[in-house]
Every structure is written in structure tokens, then in C-alpha cells.
Amino acid sequence: MIRNLLLTGGVSHDFDVTAPVLAGVLAENPACGSVESTIVSSPDAAFAALRSAQIGECPPWDLVTVYALWWRMLDDRYAPLRAEWSYEAVPDDLALLHDHVDRGGALLALHTAVICFDAAPAWADLVGATWNWERSGHPPLGPVEATVTAHGSAHPVSAGVHDFTVIDELYGNLDGAPTEPLLSARHGETTQPLLWTRSVGRGRVVVDLLGHDTRSLSHPSHRRVLQQATAWAVQAQ
């Protein structure tokens, strides 16, 4: 059984509904067997769980999934929300997450994960592309035409997946966007990456920008991507 620590929670997304759906998608995974998710709704709880595993108080986590929206909310428009929803990442805590991957653990960063932790260096090094509040954005929620790239057609994460259309948010103009994504989508005159992988130390990372709501998580093609992503990421162990 694969032990998955799933960090969720934050504003503007119905994580209380979608996180359990994501856990269900991963639970019975034909690509790698059963995935048991422990869902935590605050970064402090997630980092405490990572610290407990590091010092041997509990078994190590095979996979950490970040499907959340936690950042400092420095812009004035978020002032009314700061007291309840803002979060400032502590470098020592992010080092725990980086160490998890560096030692061979798996990381799945889904949708809003690229906005989390204010592009802190340790987080940016893991996911490879992060939100820039000066230029990143997305069109309104609607159809996203996901295209399997030439690189993606040969990669285990997206193998056997064909181009598909899903209702989602199309994130674009990130800092550090990858040059060889597995999935991409057109927005106006530009092509935006949707899915990519990274190797960090002995571990593997999958970044998937889709997943706004249950329609996306339940889409058959996206489900397959998520399950194959988990299998590929944990195989490094």
C-alpha cells in the first residue's frame, strides 16, 4: 500500500469536496495498487506529519500531494481574507518537503499548488514553475482542450492518453514554465504547459495544472493521468 499525505485547503476552491474525490481517484489505482491518503487541511499539520516520519515516529510517506492554496496574500484585495487564510512558509518546513523528494519520495503538485508558498526557492526548485502575481493568470472556468505533446505520448505518465477537453481553469504565464510538457493547451496565441515531470535528487515530481473541481478530477482521461502520475512518481522508491 502507498501512503499518501494529501495537503489541501484554502480559498476560492471547494477543497472540502474535491480533496476526497482526488483521494478516491488515487485509492484504487490500476497502475500501482492501492493508495491510502491522509488528508490534512493546513500546512502546519502537513509539515508536522512529515517531521514525524523523518524522526521515525510514524512510517515514511511514499507520496506527498499538494492540492491546496496557501500563500501570504500580500495584495490589498486579499486583506479581508488574511486573518483566516494567509500562510507564510517557513524555510525549515519547506526543507522537510524538499528532503522527502530528495531522498526518494514522490510529490504530486496539483492545480493551485503552483500558487502556494509564494514561490519560495525550495518550493520553486521542486515544482519547476510558480505563479507570478504580476503576469500569471487564467481565463474564466470553461473548456480546456488538453493536447498530448510528442514528449507526452512516449512518457509513462501520459501514455495511452489522447487529446481531451475538460472543464477547468487554464493557468498560464508562470515563472519557469517547462519546455517539454506532457500536456499543453492553447490560450489565444500562446501554448501553455499543463503537465510535466521533474527528478529531484532520488525522487520524482509530477506537476498537473488541471483539477479545479470534480468535473476535472472525474474526467476519464484526467483520472488516468493522475493514476499513472502516481505510479510513475513512486517507482523511484
Side-chain angles (χ1 to χ4, degrees):
M1 179 181 294
I2 295 167
R3 298 183 72 244
N4 176 35
L5 176 62
L6 198 170
L7 168 61
T8 190
V11 298
S12 304
H13 291 71
D14 198 0
F15 291 116
D16 286 345
V17 172
T18 55
V21 171
L22 174 60
V25 170
L26 301 182
E28 296 301 328
N29 192 332
C32 62
S34 180
V35 178
E36 181 179 275
S37 295
T38 297
I39 301 175
V40 296
S41 57
S42 78
D44 288 341
F47 292 127
L50 282 171
R51 189 172 292 106
S52 293
Q54 186 183 64
I55 64 178
E57 291 182 346
C58 69
W61 300 98
D62 304 298
L63 170 68
V64 174
T65 299
V66 178
Y67 179 42
L69 187 51
W70 295 105
W71 84 106
R72 289 181 293 171
M73 296 186 165
L74 297 180
D75 194 290
D76 288 344
R77 60 183 156 158
Y78 297 113
L81 301 172
R82 283 187 200 131
E84 183 176 3
W85 295 110
S86 67
Y87 180 80
E88 183 167 4
V90 177
D92 286 350
D93 285 345
L94 289 178
L96 283 170
L97 188 51
H98 196 280
D99 187 61
H100 160 78
V101 179
D102 189 58
R103 293 188 179 199
L107 172 66
L108 173 61
L110 187 66
H111 196 49
T112 48
V114 293
I115 306 176
C116 286
F117 310 136
D118 299 273
W123 182 240
D125 183 55
L126 283 175
V127 297
T130 53
W131 195 266
N132 181 322
W133 286 98
E134 297 298 321
R135 64 188 189 92
S136 301
H138 62 81
L141 180 69
V144 175
E145 297 181 2
T147 299
V148 181
T149 67
H151 180 57
S153 64
H155 197 285
V157 169
S158 43
V161 176
H162 303 287
D163 298 352
F164 62 96
T165 301
V166 62
I167 302 300
D168 218 311
E169 291 175 333
L170 174 56
Y171 289 179
N173 300 318
L174 306 179
D175 280 350
T179 57
E180 288 192 319
L182 308 182
L183 296 178
S184 64
R186 294 284 296 175
H187 177 218
E189 298 301 315
T190 65
T191 298
Q192 301 293 340
L194 293 178
L195 176 73
W196 63 90
T197 62
R198 292 172 56 76
S199 294
V200 178
R202 294 167 51 199
R204 289 175 170 178
V205 178
V206 179
V207 183
D208 178 359
L209 297 186
L210 298 174
H212 177 77
D213 60 23
T214 57
R215 289 172 293 182
S216 176
L217 297 173
S218 300
H219 189 287
S221 295
H222 194 202
R223 284 175 61 94
R224 180 168 181 169
V225 165
L226 289 166
Q227 292 172 343
Q228 293 180 171
T230 301
W232 178 83
V234 299
Q235 282 172 3
Q237 299 170 31

